[in-house]
Amino acid sequence: MIKIMLCCASGMSTSLLVEKMKKAAAEQNIETEIWAVGANEVKANAGKADIILLGPQVRYAQKTIEAEAGGVPVANIEMRDYGTMNGTAVLKQVLDIVQK
């Protein structure tokens, strides 16, 4: 199971992307746990995640979030994929990172 935490300013704008990613994972028979949090909740939740994805509105905080993540990989969601809420593409991004 891959545990994926998405992070945005408040955790609200990524909720639609979370649902699209869950659907893409189910279609590909990939077992996942995917959820969204606000940037201020990263430290409390990082230990539960295999990877943390940042929405465009918090990419400025990547260094801070990496420091709070305790070694969990942190990556920015591609702007185009975020804007189009392309759950399949974002899931592929996660797989590419996690399977290295």
Side-chain angles (χ1 to χ4, degrees):
M1 173 180 296
I2 304 170
K3 298 177 182 176
I4 308 164
M5 182 170 72
L6 278 63
C7 175
C8 67
S10 67
M12 298 298 290
S13 61
T14 53
S15 60
L16 179 59
L17 184 56
V18 165
E19 294 309 312
K20 297 216 177 214
M21 289 177 68
K22 286 180 179 179
K23 182 178 182 218
E27 289 170 354
Q28 297 176 47
N29 294 318
I30 300 170
E31 195 174 345
T32 60
E33 182 179 336
I34 309 170
W35 71 100
V37 299
N40 60 340
E41 300 172 74
V42 168
K43 195 171 189 174
N45 288 278
K48 303 172 194 168
D50 295 320
I51 185 167
I52 300 169
L53 297 178
L54 305 181
Q57 64 277 58
V58 293
R59 69 177 49 222
Y60 71 90
Q62 183 171 357
K63 295 288 184 204
T64 302
I65 291 171
E66 286 173 340
E68 294 176 344
V72 175
V74 176
N76 288 302
I77 298 170
E78 293 294 328
M79 189 83 77
R80 181 181 321 141
D81 296 335
Y82 189 88
T84 58
M85 292 288 148
N86 188 336
T88 302
V90 177
L91 182 62
K92 182 185 181 320
Q93 180 184 357
V94 167
L95 296 174
D96 289 346
I97 294 167
V98 172
Q99 294 175 346
K100 281 187 180 177

